[in-house]
Amino acid sequence: MCYDIQGDILNKRITKEEIEKLYLKWKTPKHVIAHCRAVASVAVTLGRELNKNGYSLDLSLIRGSALAHDVARVEEEHALKGAEILEGLGYCEEAAIVRVHMTYPRFHEKDQIDECDLVCLADRLVREDRYVGLEARMEYIMNKAPVSEEIKAHIMEGKARTKSFIAQIESVIGRSIDSLLDIEGRLGELLKQVEKPGRYIGGEVNAVRKAPHSVRARLAFAFPDLYEIGMSYLGLQILYDAVNKTEGLYCERVFAPAPDMAALMRREGLPLFTLETKTPLAEMDMLGFTLQYEMSYTTILEMLELAGLPLYAKERGEEWPVVAAGGPCAFNPEPLADFIDLFLLGDGEELLPQVLRLLGECREQGLSKRDFLEKACLLPGVYVPSFYEPVYNSDGTIKELCKLYAGAPDKVLKNIISDLENASFPLKPVIPTIEAVHDRSVTETFRGCTRGCRFCQAGMIYRPVRERSKDKILALAKGQLEATGNDELSLLSLSTSDHSAFRELTLELMDYCKEHNVSLSLPSLRIDKFAFEVLSRIQEYKKSGLTYAPEAGSQRLRDVINKGVTEEDIYTSVAEAIRLGWRHIKLYFMIGLPTETYEDLEGIAGIARRIMDINHEINGPGGGRFRLTVSVSNFVPKAHTPFQWERQNTPEEFAAKHRYLEQSMKIRGVTLNYHDSFTSVCEAVFARGDRRCAKALLAARRLGCHLDGWSEHFRRELWEQAFAESGIDPEFYAFRERGQDELLPWTHIDCGVSREFLLRERKKAYAAETTADCRHGCRGCGINKFVACEQEGIYGH
Amino acid sequence: MATSFVLKFSKSGYARYTSHLDMLRFFKRAFRKSGIALRYSQGFNPHPRMGFAQPLSLGYAGANELLEFETASEHEAEQILRALDGEMPEGIRIISVQAFVPADFHIRSLAAATDSADYTVLLPYSCSQEELDKKLAAYLSQKEIMVQKRRKKDKKLVAEDIRPKLRSLSGRADGKSAALTMTLDAGSTANLSPELVISSFLVSAGLDIPRYKIDVVREQINFVNNLQF
Ligand code: SF4
């Protein structure tokens, strides 16, 4: 019936959806379905590995026939019956494989390996629903039922043939099949050789277990840093929870392995795997990277490498998972555009499950990755970089952005959750096994900030302010504490004190925490009268010191950056603190800000001196054991801020300023900290870089850069070499002021705040004019075109 | 009803790679979560009265590990078991909880009363029973088994004879691998780590097996006065 097929029918492949229907129709038992799926995943993994080495095997054919090979298991002669069924539907190639799978006579020679070889081999390596390898599988067959000597000999012969076929494959892929498939069996040996094995084991309290084959789409949430860093990040817990709450979806986790583990995995050929089920990343439907800071980009490449994925999106065909990325850095996605299939912009707790559901549907219907991306780019907040291509001017600036797919939106607007009150929030966060950086419950009180500091990207891209009600916050905090047994609670927002019910909320939380022996921490607290009241009641408060962030040393420069703090406020507050017994004050400043002069730097030293004087006035000439820490960071201009056009200081300028501050702050009791300036340069290049910067990332990775956010792993000389080799000039990307009419690499990414607003703010900055918080009335940033601003004018106009 | 208890648990699978300190943190949290308040020590830096009879090395499985603790108010052992069960990560299983007052047995604590421990060491060593027995006999017949050990106080390497602390050692071979069973001194007076037995046995037997291919299970901890749990 299908001998006269046409080419196009030949290429028609059975879809997952159709196979599901067949399982139902032919009453395939559950355990047999699980077996089929395991065989499919082993066969596809082998096929993928061979394709990497020059073969061009049809992975859909492999997957389809493996999934269907035992569909008629309850019938007599199930292989023949299965083949008949498939033939009846027009799937002749699948049928041909299913027909022979029980009696497969001979594997092909190395240069002629075909799809049938792989399905039949996989079937011999899987017992029930697990890869066990040839030996274990054979032992099982021999012991299953008493067999005659003759059959035994026959089986042994088959085993020998299979063994030599395995050797052939291994010689092609350059590694053992075991190393590719038997992760669980080999992980123990690796864990015994690394410093903190607890980073790689999973199984934590509240970690989610689902049967991988029972879901429609599997996501590996990938955090490009170590376990203990990633597990302290609330965003991971929110998205993990939101996806796993959704039926049919499974979110697992993966973190960057530390250098010792990464080296072992490379040496042993063990691919990067998920913590929950120890599944190689290549087998997931989607990998989702979170982009928290630019200096994690090389680690993303390293993780892709360790997972065995081709780095460039265009080199990852149908057989590879979709690679997605989201988080604050996605607002200038361009430096990663060549590596990532799609970016998610804005609030993710609804968008991510939506995208995954879509992917599951597309996969079931046998649609291609391209089909999926075309559908996905219509969702709010989804940016598919391959649908656009920038064209450059001869001076290196961007001439225009060409759209390669007409259906893609011209501008991608971030996704916005308008109702945070009812947004998904994890009540049972995963509890890290090894001590995380922050081992505590965290409750998000509000999203967004409208103070309008002009250097701050978070203050722009998370607009507008959306609050959770006091009662909701209390309920979430209590729920989390009860479900985790944590003894510390922290509130999360961009500016703790700005919640509209902050006072009542804090008082109630304090009572609750006191009663339950929980310590409460209130980060980025504004130190005013109420704060002292609160802090004096919170246990052990004097240990940690008080923090102020004036950001700039003079009133003029503070007005330029729109940081609404006056020196008098600080001095009054510090005096009060010292009188109440504080012995440690921390100050945060930024240097290299637009219009900055040495007078402004002198202002920083002046503030430090004044605070030391205040201490002497209160504590006498000895001054007690008072310490002042001044931390100075380097200004990095960021996309979507009023300062997105500004130039960054060169490392030499920063160094001179650091020297100046060191000289002028040789004050007893004052410690000065500053950041490495070349790290800030790298950050600046990628924060406002375009697609060409991918070359620098790749070069840096090839030279061995990873975990660059860690000062002990950051290697300046390698980065300098990477920039030189790739022709990416920090001068062009970081130190150059950009023309106001220049097309910026992120022009097509819309965070909702208008360019006109940013320009207006920039102009006011140069005039040292401030802009008040829009809680005193709307300042016209533009976000209210898309969502109502519930906080607008609540302080009175 | 009591305020002083011993909890017996097992640690297997990937949970073996959870460190001693992380286990303490974990139990502390499990108690908080279950609502059973522990008694705290007095003094400047109060900490819960809770501790393992013997710390278990990172990477070892434990079949019968013991945690002793005191609660702030009276509880039934059964109730504690129920409250903690279900709070465990993969690989940690509570076997029993029983009331136990150390003073009744004239000891300060289980930690102070630990006397020895039984271990099983699994070697990927294919040999016959006879061959294994021969190697073990040769090993045990040494008058002294000298090993290099790092002294705690000054981190210096010193030579030590471990033979007196090695109470018994035997093995079973199934052709594919060998399982050594041993009882070693444990506790504050005399303590012998299985690591030293493993390394010196491998040398004596002329075996070249990397440490990471070897698994260790602590089967049981033994106490003075024949205390049993
Ligand atoms: S639109 Fe107006 S009220 Fe809304 S965030 Fe922007 S400035 Fe504030």
Side-chain angles (χ1 to χ4, degrees):
Chain A
M1 55 197 96
C2 44
Y3 302 108
D4 53 348
I5 24 161
Q6 303 291 316
D8 56 332
I9 304 181
L10 250 178
N11 284 329
K12 190 180 145 206
R13 292 279 168 251
I14 189 161
T15 65
K16 279 188 182 174
E17 215 169 20
E18 286 170 292
I19 289 169
E20 291 297 326
K21 282 190 197 138
L22 289 180
Y23 288 154
L24 264 180
K25 182 163 175 204
W26 295 97
K27 302 201 170 55
T28 320
K30 256 204 168 118
H31 70 276
V32 174
I33 297 179
H35 168 73
C36 289
R37 286 172 174 155
V39 170
S41 111
V42 166
V44 169
T45 303
L46 293 175
R48 201 189 283 127
E49 210 56 30
L50 286 167
N51 283 356
K52 260 204 263 180
N53 289 285
Y55 287 70
S56 44
L57 294 155
D58 181 340
L59 298 183
S60 319
L61 173 60
I62 294 181
R63 191 186 303 277
S65 42
L67 285 175
H69 83 278
D70 277 348
V71 70
R73 194 54 203 269
V74 294
E75 308 289 315
E76 295 271 320
E77 297 278 357
H78 77 273
L80 297 182
K81 180 73 192 169
E84 234 170 69
I85 295 169
L86 291 169
E87 246 167 21
L89 296 167
Y91 299 113
C92 299
E93 289 185 88
E94 282 88 345
I97 296 177
V98 171
R99 179 174 298 115
V100 298
H101 83 267
M102 289 297 286
T103 52
Y104 198 52
R106 231 168 256 289
F107 295 102
H108 288 101
E109 286 301 312
K110 193 160 150 178
D111 48 351
Q112 286 173 10
I113 296 174
D114 69 6
E115 291 81 3
C116 187
D117 288 329
L118 295 186
V119 174
C120 295
L121 174 65
D123 197 24
R124 286 163 171 69
L125 300 176
V126 170
R127 185 175 73 212
E128 282 150 19
D129 61 351
R130 279 196 57 197
Y131 170 85
V132 292
L134 187 61
E135 294 293 333
R137 171 76 171 157
M138 285 297 156
E139 203 170 301
Y140 174 75
I141 291 176
M142 296 286 230
N143 296 333
K144 208 161 66 172
V147 286
S148 68
E149 282 307 313
E150 196 185 330
I151 294 185
K152 222 179 220 171
H154 186 69
I155 294 178
M156 290 317 282
E157 203 191 306
K159 178 180 165 184
R161 274 204 304 270
T162 310
K163 228 177 163 168
S164 83
F165 181 58
I166 288 176
Q168 303 235 19
I169 293 187
E170 290 180 339
S171 75
V172 174
I173 63 178
R175 57 193 287 183
S176 75
I177 291 184
D178 262 351
S179 78
L180 203 60
L181 295 162
D182 186 19
I183 294 196
E184 300 239 20
R186 305 184 56 245
L187 186 54
E189 288 183 8
L190 270 69
L191 292 177
K192 288 199 195 76
Q193 300 173 70
V194 298
E195 192 200 346
K196 281 192 183 167
R199 286 166 172 156
Y200 316 105
I201 61 178
E204 303 97 325
V205 176
N206 296 339
V208 177
R209 271 281 194 187
K210 292 191 185 185
H213 294 308
S214 71
V215 299
R216 304 173 76 179
R218 296 174 73 182
L219 165 75
F221 187 101
F223 197 99
D225 209 321
L226 304 182
Y227 176 88
E228 51 269 45
I229 305 290
M231 285 302 290
S232 307
Y233 165 60
L234 179 63
L236 178 151
Q237 303 271 12
I238 293 181
L239 295 171
Y240 184 78
D241 176 67
V243 173
N244 281 324
K245 256 185 208 158
T246 315
E247 221 197 286
L249 303 180
Y250 189 13
C251 176
E252 305 183 45
R253 292 161 300 146
V254 59
F255 300 89
D260 61 343
M261 183 66 165
L264 267 181
M265 292 174 79
R266 250 179 230 118
R267 202 181 74 201
E268 300 291 320
L270 198 80
L272 193 59
F273 53 88
T274 59
L275 295 191
E276 276 74 4
T277 59
K278 315 286 183 290
T279 306
L281 296 192
E283 278 182 52
M284 305 304 281
D285 296 303
M286 184 187 276
L287 311 187
F289 284 97
T290 175
L291 310 177
Q292 296 298 311
Y293 30 86
E294 289 83 5
M295 299 314 283
S296 69
Y297 290 177
T298 54
T299 312
I300 293 177
L301 298 186
E302 185 184 31
M303 289 173 79
L304 290 174
E305 259 168 48
L306 286 168
L309 267 63
L311 298 184
Y312 282 107
K314 63 171 188 281
E315 288 170 12
R316 291 191 300 263
E318 296 299 325
E319 65 263 46
W320 300 102
V322 169
V323 180
C329 294
F331 282 90
N332 178 25
E334 293 306 282
L336 289 174
D338 288 350
F339 309 118
I340 302 289
D341 296 306
L342 90 174
F343 289 92
L344 272 58
L345 308 171
D347 302 318
E349 51 265 78
E350 284 167 10
L351 181 59
L352 182 58
Q354 208 179 344
V355 170
L356 279 165
R357 265 202 309 266
L358 177 66
L359 179 61
E361 278 163 30
C362 290
R363 285 268 152 96
E364 277 159 22
Q365 293 161 13
L367 299 181
S368 69
K369 199 182 261 187
R370 166 84 191 198
D371 294 331
F372 160 71
L373 292 173
E374 286 183 5
K375 285 173 192 275
C377 79
L378 302 175
L379 296 172
V382 174
Y383 167 55
V384 177
S386 58
F387 290 164
Y388 307 81
E389 189 177 69
V391 180
Y392 302 96
N393 292 312
S394 55
D395 66 357
T397 56
I398 297 174
K399 185 166 174 221
E400 59 177 326
L401 188 72
C402 293
K403 226 162 54 171
L404 304 181
Y405 167 56
D410 293 338
K411 250 185 166 227
V412 182
L413 176 68
K414 75 172 179 187
N415 184 56
I416 307 172
I417 284 186
S418 52
D419 181 11
L420 195 67
E421 178 83 354
N422 294 306
S424 169
F425 194 83
L427 276 178
K428 288 184 148 206
V430 182
I431 298 170
T433 323
I434 65 167
E435 197 160 10
V437 176
H438 295 300
D439 218 351
R440 60 192 188 189
S441 287
V442 182
T443 305
E444 185 191 28
T445 54
F446 65 92
R447 211 169 279 181
C449 175
T450 44
R451 300 196 144 245
C453 297
R454 290 174 181 136
F455 57 82
C456 178
Q457 190 189 39
M460 299 295 156
I461 61 175
Y462 291 118
R463 282 181 182 225
V465 169
R466 289 147 294 159
E467 285 190 350
R468 284 195 168 88
S469 70
K470 181 196 76 180
D471 289 341
K472 186 77 177 191
I473 295 166
L474 286 167
L476 293 177
K478 287 178 196 172
Q480 268 204 357
L481 288 167
E482 276 163 24
T484 56
N486 276 331
D487 56 6
E488 194 184 335
L489 172 70
S490 178
L491 298 183
L492 183 88
S493 67
L494 289 169
S495 158
T496 308
S497 316
D498 282 344
H499 190 278
S500 60
F502 177 62
R503 224 167 224 282
E504 302 77 50
L505 173 67
T506 310
L507 293 173
E508 285 185 42
L509 273 177
M510 278 197 311
D511 288 342
Y512 178 85
C513 289
K514 193 163 176 216
E515 194 184 322
H516 292 85
N517 253 313
V518 170
S519 64
L520 177 65
S521 84
L522 302 168
S524 65
L525 184 67
R526 192 169 53 249
I527 312 298
D528 53 15
K529 219 169 134 245
F530 176 64
F532 283 122
E533 238 172 79
V534 170
L535 292 172
S536 65
R537 286 179 51 195
I538 295 183
Q539 230 188 347
E540 298 179 60
Y541 63 96
K542 273 168 200 166
K543 281 187 187 164
S544 54
L546 275 190
T547 302
Y548 300 83
E551 303 294 1
S554 71
Q555 194 55 50
R556 182 199 67 80
L557 193 52
R558 283 192 295 274
D559 290 343
V560 167
I561 62 175
N562 203 38
K563 183 85 196 181
V565 186
T566 68
E567 261 161 63
E568 274 324 302
D569 292 345
I570 293 175
Y571 298 145
T572 321
S573 171
V574 165
E576 179 72 10
I578 295 174
R579 253 181 246 116
L580 288 170
W582 260 275
R583 290 283 169 273
H584 187 198
I585 303 279
K586 294 184 249 181
L587 296 177
Y588 285 95
F589 292 97
M590 210 177 259
I591 60 168
L593 288 162
T595 78
E596 180 186 69
T597 65
Y598 274 75
E599 246 168 69
D600 302 306
L601 298 183
E602 181 44 40
I604 296 177
I607 294 174
R609 274 192 294 270
R610 179 77 190 104
I611 288 178
M612 294 314 281
D613 288 346
I614 294 174
N615 178 53
H616 288 301
E617 281 156 28
I618 297 167
N619 285 326
R625 270 206 224 104
F626 183 76
R627 282 179 304 134
L628 176 66
T629 307
V630 179
S631 294
V632 172
S633 64
N634 305 321
F635 169 62
V636 177
K638 297 265 169 150
H640 304 284
T641 67
F643 290 162
Q644 63 180 358
W645 296 274
E646 300 301 327
R647 64 179 295 270
Q648 190 194 33
N649 278 182
T650 61
E652 293 72 35
E653 286 170 300
F654 278 130
K657 291 180 179 178
H658 290 151
R659 273 197 305 277
Y660 177 84
L661 287 172
E662 261 180 357
Q663 284 303 319
S664 57
M665 274 209 273
K666 283 199 175 129
I667 311 168
R668 244 187 70 135
V670 178
T671 318
L672 172 70
N673 296 326
Y674 50 83
H675 292 209
D676 175 61
S677 33
F678 203 74
T679 309
S680 309
V681 171
C682 295
E683 238 181 278
V685 169
F686 297 109
R688 293 184 301 160
D690 54 34
R691 288 196 187 186
R692 292 168 296 187
C693 295
K695 282 182 288 175
L697 282 177
L698 201 63
R701 178 58 213 131
R702 296 265 186 267
L703 291 168
C705 292
H706 67 166
L707 299 173
D708 296 301
W710 296 75
S711 52
E712 65 258 52
H713 297 304
F714 180 76
R715 305 261 310 271
R716 175 178 182 153
E717 67 289 357
L718 297 186
W719 272 102
E720 281 173 332
Q721 193 183 336
F723 285 133
E725 278 177 11
S726 58
I728 292 300
D729 188 358
E731 169 66 40
F732 179 81
Y733 289 98
F735 314 143
R736 173 179 71 93
E737 182 179 330
R738 310 216 177 173
Q740 212 135 282
D741 298 321
E742 191 177 324
L743 212 52
L744 299 170
W746 53 92
T747 309
H748 55 303
I749 302 296
D750 189 356
C751 74
V753 173
S754 69
R755 177 183 139 89
E756 291 67 42
F757 176 75
L758 297 183
L759 278 173
R760 223 161 45 229
E761 282 296 296
R762 185 182 194 210
K763 215 162 147 201
K764 285 173 90 179
Y766 278 100
E769 269 176 47
T770 58
T771 299
D773 190 323
C774 55
R775 289 185 178 92
H776 293 289
C778 180
R779 308 296 159 201
C781 78
I783 191 78
N784 58 358
K785 267 206 324 223
F786 311 104
V787 54
C789 298
E790 52 182 41
Q791 300 278 309
E792 195 265 336
I794 58 161
Y795 294 165
H797 292 251
Chain B
M1 297 286 256
T3 58
S4 180
F5 300 88
V6 172
L7 178 152
K8 184 152 90 176
F9 68 97
S10 63
K11 189 179 177 192
S12 62
Y14 291 119
R16 277 181 296 172
Y17 303 101
T18 313
S19 72
H20 171 65
L21 280 179
D22 287 331
M23 288 296 289
L24 266 179
R25 269 181 49 248
F26 162 74
F27 272 108
K28 202 172 137 190
R29 182 199 293 277
F31 276 109
R32 278 188 68 91
K33 195 172 156 188
S34 68
I36 291 166
L38 293 171
R39 211 181 109 197
Y40 272 69
S41 64
Q42 305 291 311
F44 184 67
N45 191 7
H47 49 88
R49 291 181 151 287
M50 172 182 86
F52 296 108
Q54 271 276 294
L56 186 64
S57 301
L58 189 64
Y60 285 23
N64 292 290
E65 291 300 300
L66 299 169
L67 176 81
E68 47 187 335
F69 59 91
E70 291 177 35
T71 52
S73 57
E74 302 227 314
H75 291 277
E76 294 286 0
E78 186 54 27
Q79 176 211 349
I80 296 180
L81 178 73
R82 256 180 290 125
L84 290 179
D85 221 20
E87 305 293 341
M88 301 292 123
E90 269 174 51
I92 310 278
R93 204 171 62 79
I94 302 183
I95 299 166
S96 67
V97 179
Q98 66 183 85
F100 174 75
V101 182
D104 293 353
F105 298 86
H106 313 290
I107 56 172
R108 262 189 302 119
S109 64
L110 283 188
T114 303
D115 180 52
S116 68
D118 305 338
Y119 298 90
T120 303
V121 173
L122 296 163
L123 302 169
Y125 169 36
S126 42
C127 62
S128 65
Q129 183 68 41
E130 207 186 345
E131 201 181 331
L132 181 64
D133 285 342
K134 238 165 70 194
K135 301 237 167 187
L136 284 170
Y139 176 68
L140 288 170
S141 69
Q142 304 173 84
K143 270 217 186 61
E144 297 185 320
I145 302 175
M146 297 305 290
V147 298
Q148 295 286 313
K149 207 177 146 186
R150 207 165 281 283
R151 211 158 45 186
K152 264 210 186 104
K153 58 175 190 222
D154 54 6
K155 305 259 185 282
K156 259 202 197 126
L157 271 182
V158 289
E160 192 198 321
D161 176 19
I162 60 169
R163 187 65 188 85
K165 295 181 179 174
L166 173 57
R167 298 197 185 177
S168 74
L169 171 64
S170 61
R172 293 200 71 80
D174 64 3
K176 272 191 199 145
S177 59
L180 309 182
T181 310
M182 55 186 80
T183 302
L184 313 178
D185 276 1
S188 46
T189 16
N191 193 64
L192 174 55
S193 157
E195 294 304 314
L196 297 174
V197 181
I198 294 170
S199 55
S200 56
F201 173 72
L202 291 180
V203 171
S204 139
L207 294 174
D208 186 19
I209 301 172
R211 174 61 186 87
Y212 57 82
K213 290 199 181 285
I214 299 172
D215 280 315
V216 183
V217 186
R218 179 154 71 193
E219 303 290 352
Q220 184 167 301
I221 305 169
N222 309 307
F223 301 95
V224 296
N225 303 347
N226 243 336
L227 268 176
Q228 299 221 340
F229 295 95

